[in-house]
C-alpha cells in the first residue's frame, strides 16, 4: 500500500495551472487526518504489503522513484525537488512540502503527487508521480487579417513549444480584450480552446484555437452634461479632444469610445472651467448608457463652483528682472477672470519650446537652474492673490558639448551648425535653434534629434550638452524608363546629398561612395530618340569651412533633334543644342536676423540652332546667348523637419538681370522694329505674292537673329509659404507666388525665352528655352498660358496637411488644397483676381532613396482658356522629386 503525502490536484481543463499555496496549505492542515483515515481503512480492506510509520518521526530517505507522464529524466526531477537519497526528513514535514512547492514553481507540470512506498525501520522510500504541462503544437487564429496575427503571437509568446498554462490563456484573453477596447470595440469576444494531441510522441501537446470576434466599434451617440449653467454642452463637448459624438461631417476625429482617452477628456472639461474662472469645478459622476442601436450615451454631472478673479500678483525672489518687466511677460492684471491654464502657460508653456514666457526668459539668459512657482496666498471673496516665487540660481555654462549617433556624417559638419559651445552661457533658444539646424541638414531623422542635458551641477553652474542624432539615407537614385514623346525615354540620376569630394581619390572612402562632408553632388542623364540631356551640379555649403557661405555650380547640355514626319524618326542632321553653366554664392546674413540668406549667381546659356526650323523661333540657323546675373534674398525659419514643417515661414524674392546691351552695342532697335513690323504686314497681306512673303519671312529671321543674339531682359519673382499648426498635427500652409518678365528696351521687346507656363503638375522632361513650369493642379500641363508662354503670372494656394507617418524610412502625409492662378502677356491684361481656380486632395511619400513622390486629384472650377465647357473636370497629377 502507498501512502499519499500530497492530495492530487485534479485538472479538468487541459494545462490548468494549480494554485501552489492553496495546495500546500491543504496538505499541511489535513495530512494527519488523511493518513489516519487511510491507515484505518487499509487495515480492514487491503490484503498485502502494509506501510506503517510513526507520525512526525524522522526518517532517512532510502530511495526516490519517479512515475507519470513526463519527458524529463528521473534524475532531473529528483534533483530539482531538492530531495536526495540519505537525507533525513520528517514525514509529514517541511521537506516534502518544499519539494512540492519547487516543482510547482517550475511551471512545467500539471499535477504532482508524492507517495510513501515503503518503510523499513527508520528508512523511508518515496515516489513522485507527475505529468508535464502540455506544449503548444499548433495555433490557429480566426477572425482577423493575416497581417495582424504575427503581432498577437509575438506579444503573447504563443510560439510553438510554449507551455500552455491557465495563466497563459487568461493573459492572452485579457490582452486582446484590452487591445480592442482601446480601438473602440467594447463588445469584443475572445474564445480560446485547447485540443489534446494524441499520437505516438510521448511529449504532452495541445493545439490551440483562438477565435476573435471584435464586433463593431461602439460609437458615441450623445454626450450630455448635467449641472452646467455657465458653459454650454457644446463648449464642454468641444473641450474633449478625443471623445466625440457621432458627426458624419467630421473627418479626422471618430466617435469611438476609448476609456483612457475619455478619462483624459474629463480632465480637459475641468481645465476648460479653469480657463473661464471656475477653479473649483469638478466632475461629480459620469455614467455610460448602452442604447438599443448598439451605440452609447455619456452622462456627465458637473459642479461648476463659483467665479474667481485675479487679485494682487507679486513676484518674490527676482533680482535679474524687475517686477514691471515680469508683469509685461505675464500679461495678467488684477481684476482679470481667473485662468489657471493661461497662468501656467505664461509662466512655462511646455507646448512651445520658443514661447514668450517667464521660464524661457530666464533660460534664454543663462538661468537653466531657475524655478518659478505660482502660489495662491489668498482666495477671500473669490479674489485670488498670487505670489510668483522665483529661485533664480546660478547662471549655467556649457562644460562640454558632444554629438552621438553620427556614423557617416563627419563631426565638423555637425559642430559648425551647433549654436552651443563649451564655456558659453546657456541659452535655451540656442539649443532649440541647434535642433532645427541639424534637422534642416537632411542627413538625420528630424523626429529623432534629441538634446540631452547631462551632469547638471547647480552649485558650480555647469551643464554637459549631448545631441543625439540618427542617420538617415541622404542619397537618391533615379532609374526609370518608359515610352513618351514617340519613343523610349531612359533616365539615370544620382544625387549624393552628403558627399565628400576631398576623399574622392581615397579607396577606403568608397562605402559605397565618399560621404560625410555635407556637400551635394548630382549627376543626371536622360535620353530618347529625339533628345539627350546631361547635367552635373556640385555645392559646398561652407566654402572654406569657416563661414556659412554656400558655393554652387552646375553644368548642363541638351541636344534636341528635329522630328522627320516622313521617316517618323529623329533627323540627326537638324538639331537644337543648349549648353549652360552657372556659378553661385549664398551667404547667411546676421541682420535683420540669421534666418536670412543673400544669394548671387552668374549664369550663361548658349542656344545653337542647326537647320532647326519650327514654330519656336523665326530663324532655323543661328544662335542666342544668355548671360545673366541673379540676386536673391530669402528667409527660412520653418520648423525642424524640412519634409513636413509645422511652423514658421519661407519666403524668397529674386531678380535675374541681363546686361543692357542696347545701351552700348550701337544697334538701332527702333529701326529694326519698324522694319520687322513692315515685313510682318507683308506676310499677313493676302494680296502679297509668295516670293514677297518668303523674302519678308527671311528678313524677319535675320532681324530676330540680331535681336536675340544676346538676350536682354529682367525677371522678378516672389514666393512665400507660411506654416501654422491648427490642431495637433494638422498643418495649414498658405502660399503666394508672383513672377514678371520685362524688357529694358521696348523696341527689342520681351524675349521668347525665360517665360512662365502655368498649369498642371509643374514638371517637364526638358526645357528648350529656359521656360519655367508653374504648378497649378486641376488643369492640364501648361494649359493656362499662351503657346509662347506668359510674361506675368500669379498663384495663390491654401493647403491643409496631415501626417500619416513621419518615420525616417518613409514620411507620408495627406493633403487637401484650394488654389488659383493665371498667366498674362502684359500688364494691360493683368488682373490678380481673374484667376483659374481648383480644389482637390493628394498624398506625398518621401523616401530617402527616391525623394518625394506623390499623387494629386484636382477638380477645376473654370474653363481652360480656348476650351469652353471644360470646367468641372478632374485631373490626376503624379509628383516626382518636388515638394509643394
Amino acid at each position: 500500500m502507498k501512502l499519499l503525502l500530497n492530495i492530487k490536484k485534479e485538472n479538468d481543463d487541459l494545462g490548468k495551472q494549480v494554485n501552489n499555496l492553496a495546495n500546500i496549505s491543504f496538505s499541511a492542515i489535513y495530512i494527519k487526518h488523511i493518513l489516519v483515515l487511510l491507515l484505518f481503512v487499509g487495515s480492514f480492506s487491503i490484503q498485502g504489503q502494509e506501510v506503517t510509520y510513526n507520525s512526525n518521526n524522522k526518517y532517512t530517505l532510502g530511495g526516490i522513484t519517479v512515475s507519470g507522464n513526463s519527458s524529463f529524466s528521473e534524475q532531473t526531477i529528483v534533483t530539482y525537488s531538492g530531495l536526495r537519497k540519505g537525507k533525513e526528513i520528517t514525514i509529514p514535514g517541511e521537506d516534502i512540502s518544499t519539494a512540492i512547492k519547487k516543482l510547482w514553481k517550475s511551471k512545467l507540470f500539471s499535477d504532482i503527487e508524492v507517495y510513501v512506498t515503503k518503510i523499513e525501520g527508520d528508512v523511508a522510500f518515496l515516489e513522485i508521480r507527475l505529468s508535464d504541462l502540455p506544449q503548444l503544437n499548433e495555433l490557429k487564429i480566426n477572425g482577423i487579417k493575416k497581417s495582424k496575427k504575427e503581432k498577437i503571437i509575438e506579444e503573447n509568446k504563443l510560439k510553438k513549444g510554449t507551455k500552455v498554462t491557465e495563466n497563459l490563456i487568461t493573459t492572452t484573453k485579457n490582452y486582446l480584450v484590452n487591445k480592442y477596447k482601446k480601438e473602440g470595440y467594447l463588445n469584443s469576444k475572445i474564445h480560446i480552446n485547447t485540443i489534446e494531441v494524441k499520437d505516438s510522441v510521448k511529449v504532452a501537446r495541445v493545439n490551440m484555437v483562438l477565435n476573435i470576434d471584435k464586433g463593431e466599434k461602439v460609437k458615441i451617440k450623445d454626450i450630455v452634461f448635467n449641472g452646467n449653467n455657465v458653459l454650454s454642452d457644446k463648449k464642454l463637448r468641444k473641450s474633449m479632444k478625443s471623445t466625440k459624438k457621432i458627426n458624419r461631417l467630421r473627418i479626422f476625429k471618430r466617435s469611438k469610445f476609448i476609456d483612457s482617452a475619455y478619462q483624459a477628456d474629463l480632465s480637459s472639461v475641468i481645465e476648460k472651467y479653469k480657463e473661464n474662472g471656475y477653479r473649483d469645478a469638478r466632475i461629480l459622476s459620469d455614467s455610460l448608457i448602452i442604447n438599443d442601436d448598439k451605440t452609447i450615451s455619456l452622462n456627465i454631472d458637473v459642479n461648476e463652483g463659483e467665479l474667481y478673479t485675479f487679485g494682487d500678483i507679486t513676484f518674490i525672489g527676482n533680482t535679474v528682472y524687475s517686477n514691471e518687466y515680469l508683469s509685461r511677460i505675464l500679461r495678467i492684471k488684477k481684476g482679470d477672470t481667473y485662468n489657471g491654464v493661461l497662468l501656467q502657460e505664461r509662466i512655462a508653456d511646455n507646448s512651445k519650446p520658443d514661447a514668450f514666457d517667464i521660464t524661457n526668459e530666464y533660460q534664454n539668459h543663462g538661468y537653466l537652474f531657475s524655478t518659478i512657482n505660482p502660489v495662491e496666498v489668498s482666495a477671500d471673496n473669490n479674489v485670488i492673490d498670487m505670489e510668483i516665487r522665483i529661485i533664480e540660481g546660478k547662471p549655467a555654462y556649457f562644460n562640454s558639448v558632444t554629438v552621438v549617433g553620427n556614423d557617416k556624417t563627419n563631426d565638423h559638419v555637425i559642430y559648425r551648425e551647433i549654436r552651443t559651445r563649451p564655456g558659453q552661457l546657456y541659452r535655451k533658444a540656442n539649443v532649440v535653434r541647434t535642433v532645427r539646424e541639424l534637422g534642416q541638414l537632411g542627413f538625420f531623422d528630424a523626429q529623432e534629434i534629441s538634446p540631452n542635458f547631462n551632469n547638471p551641477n547647480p552649485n558650480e553652474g555647469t551643464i554637459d550638452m549631448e545631441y543625439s542624432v540618427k542617420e538617415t539615407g541622404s542619397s537618391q537614385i533615379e532609374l526609370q524608363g518608359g515610352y513618351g514623346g514617340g519613343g523610349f525615354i531612359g533616365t539615370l540620376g544620382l544625387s549624393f546629398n552628403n558627399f565628400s569630394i576631398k576623399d574622392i581619390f581615397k579607396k577606403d572612402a568608397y562605402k559605397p561612395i565618399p560621404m560625410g562632408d555635407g556637400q551635394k553632388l548630382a549627376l543626371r542623364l536622360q535620353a530618347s530618340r529625339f533628345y539627350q540631356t546631361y547635367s552635373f551640379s556640385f555645392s559646398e555649403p561652407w566654402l572654406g569651412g569657416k563661414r556659412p557661405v554656400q558655393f554652387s555650380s552646375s553644368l548642363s547640355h541638351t541636344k534636341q533633334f528635329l522630328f522627320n514626319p516622313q521617316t517618323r524618326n529623329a533627323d540627326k542632321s537638324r538639331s537644337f543644342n543648349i549648353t549652360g553653366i552657372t556659378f553661385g554664392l549664398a551667404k547667411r546674413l546676421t541682420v535683420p536676423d540669421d534666418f536670412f540668406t543673400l544669394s548671387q549667381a552668374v549664369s550663361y546659356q548658349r542656344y545653337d540652332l542647326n537647320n532647326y526650323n519650327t514654330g519656336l523661333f523665326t530663324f532655323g540657323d543661328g544662335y542666342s546667348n544668355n548671360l545673366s546675373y541673379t540676386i536673391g534674398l530669402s528667409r527660412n525659419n520653418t520648423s525642424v523637419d524640412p519634409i513636413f514643417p509645422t511652423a514658421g515661414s519661407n519666403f524668397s524674392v529674386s531678380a535675374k538681370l541681363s546686361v543692357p546691351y542696347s545701351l552700348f552695342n550701337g544697334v538701332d532697335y527702333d529701326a529694326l522694329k519698324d522694319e520687322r513690323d513692315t515685313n510682318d504686314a507683308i506676310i499677313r497681306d493676302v494680296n502679297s505674292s509668295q516670293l514677297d512673303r518668303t523674302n519678308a519671312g527671311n528678313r524677319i529671321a535675320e532681324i530676330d537673329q540680331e535681336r536675340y543674339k544676346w538676350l536682354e531682359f529682367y525677371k522678378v519673382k516672389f514666393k512665400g509659404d507660411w506654416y501654422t499648426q491648427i490642431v495637433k498635427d494638422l498643418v495649414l500652409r498658405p502660399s503666394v507666388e508672383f513672377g514678371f518678365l520685362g524688357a529694358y528696351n521696348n523696341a527689342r521687346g520681351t524675349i521668347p525665352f525665360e517665360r512662365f507656363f502655368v498649369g498642371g503638375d509643374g514638371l517637364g522632361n526638358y526645357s528648350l528655352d529656359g521656360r519655367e513650369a508653374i504648378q497649378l493642379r486641376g488643369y492640364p500641363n501648361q494649359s493656362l498660358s499662351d503657346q509662347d508662354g506668359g510674361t506675368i503670372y500669379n498663384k495663390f494656394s491654401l493647403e491643409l496637411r496631415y501626417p500619416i507617418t513621419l518615420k525616417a524610412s518613409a514620411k507620408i502625409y495627406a493633403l487637401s488644397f484650394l488654389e488659383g492662378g493665371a498667366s498674362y502677356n502684359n500688364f494691360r491684361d493683368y488682373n490678380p483676381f481673374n484667376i483659374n481656380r481648383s480644389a482637390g486632395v493628394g498624398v506625398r511619400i518621401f523616401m530617402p532613396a527616391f525623394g518625394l513622390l506623390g499623387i494629386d486629384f484636382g477638380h477645376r472650377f473654370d474653363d481652360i482658356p480656348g476650351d469652353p465647357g471644360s470646367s468641372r473636370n478632374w485631373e490626376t497629377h503624379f509628383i516626382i522629386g518636388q515638394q509643394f
Side-chain angles (χ1 to χ4, degrees), residues 532-536 554-560 575-582 603-609 623-627 710-711 753-754 767-770:
Q532 299 171 1
T533 299
Y534 313 89
S535 65
F536 165 84
S554 64
L555 178 66
S556 64
H557 179 73
T558 298
K559 182 184 287 283
Q560 171 75 20
S575 63
F576 179 23
N577 302 329
I578 305 174
T579 302
I581 187 169
T582 301
S603 60
Y604 171 76
Q605 286 84 36
R606 169 84 175 189
Y607 303 94
D608 282 313
L609 289 87
Y623 64 89
S624 288
N625 297 287
N626 184 357
L627 177 63
W710 286 92
L711 301 182
F753 300 82
E754 299 280 346
S767 175
L768 293 177
D769 50 6

Side-chain angles (χ1 to χ4, degrees), residues 53 92 99-100 105 108 114 147 313 336 468 484 507 565 599 610 614 651 659 730 773 816 851:
Y53 67 94
I100 294 171
K105 277 191 173 182
L108 298 172
V114 178
S147 59
I313 302 177
D336 288 350
S468 176
K507 183 178 180 181
S599 60
N610 176 28
T614 66
F651 81 84
V659 179
L730 190 64
S816 60

Side-chain angles (χ1 to χ4, degrees), residues 363 365-370 392-400 421-427 453-465:
Q363 294 213 358
H365 290 80
Y367 292 90
L368 172 64
F369 304 115
S370 60
E392 294 175 332
K394 285 185 176 181
Y397 291 85
F398 291 108
N399 183 49
S400 68
R421 295 282 187 268
Q424 188 181 57
L425 183 68
Y426 168 83
R427 295 181 187 273
F453 296 87
N454 296 330
N455 305 319
N457 191 331
N459 295 324
E460 297 293 331
T462 59
I463 186 77
D464 292 338
M465 194 72 215

Side-chain angles (χ1 to χ4, degrees), residues 150 712 781:
E150 191 61 37
E712 184 179 281
N781 284 357

Side-chain angles (χ1 to χ4, degrees), residues 178-366:
N178 292 328
K179 169 184 169 64
Y180 294 124
K181 274 187 178 180
K182 291 179 181 179
E183 297 176 3
Y185 299 95
L186 295 187
N187 299 320
S188 61
K189 297 178 181 178
I190 311 298
H191 296 286
I192 301 177
N193 297 321
T194 55
I195 305 168
E196 184 180 0
V197 177
K198 296 181 178 180
D199 54 20
S200 59
V201 180
K202 293 183 178 180
V203 177
R205 294 175 299 150
V206 294
N207 294 331
M208 181 183 290
V209 180
L210 178 54
N211 294 310
I212 300 174
D213 180 8
K214 294 193 297 186
E216 294 186 1
K217 288 185 178 179
V218 176
K219 295 187 176 181
I220 304 169
K221 186 175 185 179
D222 200 4
I223 303 174
V224 179
F225 290 89
N226 303 308
N228 55 312
N229 298 312
V230 178
L231 299 181
S232 65
D233 284 19
K234 183 178 180 180
K235 285 185 177 180
L236 294 176
R237 283 195 292 263
K238 189 176 180 180
S239 70
M240 305 176 78
K241 303 300 181 184
S242 302
T243 308
K244 301 291 184 182
K245 61 185 289 188
I246 295 173
N247 184 346
R248 301 186 189 281
L249 299 178
R250 190 187 304 112
I251 299 175
F252 296 107
K253 288 290 184 181
R254 300 298 182 185
S255 59
K256 63 185 181 183
F257 176 82
I258 299 174
D259 186 65
S260 58
Y262 171 60
Q263 297 302 326
D265 281 337
L266 290 180
S267 298
S268 297
V269 170
I270 300 303
E271 292 298 313
K272 189 67 176 178
Y273 271 107
K274 289 183 179 180
E275 290 177 10
N276 288 272
Y278 294 86
R279 68 157 196 173
D280 295 336
R282 64 185 187 277
I283 304 292
L284 297 177
S285 63
D286 64 284
S287 57
L288 183 151
I289 301 172
I290 300 176
N291 303 312
D292 294 337
D293 58 358
K294 296 184 180 180
T295 62
I296 64 171
S297 295
L298 299 172
N299 285 337
I300 304 170
D301 296 330
V302 300
N303 182 347
E304 294 179 322
E306 297 181 354
L307 178 66
Y308 286 79
T309 59
F310 282 109
D312 294 325
I313 302 177
T314 57
F315 296 92
I316 297 176
N318 53 307
T319 62
V320 178
Y321 300 109
S322 66
N323 293 344
E324 292 76 13
Y325 183 71
L326 294 177
S327 295
R328 287 199 298 270
I329 299 176
L330 192 63
R331 305 189 299 283
I332 296 175
K333 297 179 181 179
K334 183 177 181 178
D336 288 350
T337 299
Y338 175 81
N339 187 335
V341 176
L342 179 64
L343 175 66
Q344 186 57 49
E345 286 181 354
R346 298 286 169 81
I347 291 174
D349 188 351
N350 296 324
S351 64
K352 298 178 181 178
D354 55 350
F356 182 55
D357 56 49
I358 295 176
T359 298
N360 275 350
E361 188 65 18
Y362 268 97
Q363 294 213 358
N364 281 332
H365 290 80

Side-chain angles (χ1 to χ4, degrees), residues 621-687:
D621 283 288
Y623 64 89
S624 288
N625 297 287
N626 184 357
L627 177 63
S628 60
Y629 165 74
T630 303
I631 183 170
L633 182 67
S634 63
R635 185 179 189 273
N636 182 355
N637 71 331
T638 54
S639 56
V640 178
D641 194 337
I643 304 301
F644 190 81
T646 57
S649 62
N650 183 11
F651 81 84
S652 63
V653 58
S654 66
K656 188 175 184 180
L657 313 167
S658 71
V659 179
Y661 303 103
S662 58
L663 293 178
F664 53 80
N665 64 2
V667 177
D668 187 350
Y669 289 103
D670 289 318
L672 287 178
K673 181 179 184 301
D674 292 340
E675 185 180 357
R676 193 185 192 285
D677 290 343
T678 300
N679 283 281
D680 189 54
I682 293 173
I683 294 174
R684 295 176 183 275
D685 188 354
V686 295
N687 297 318

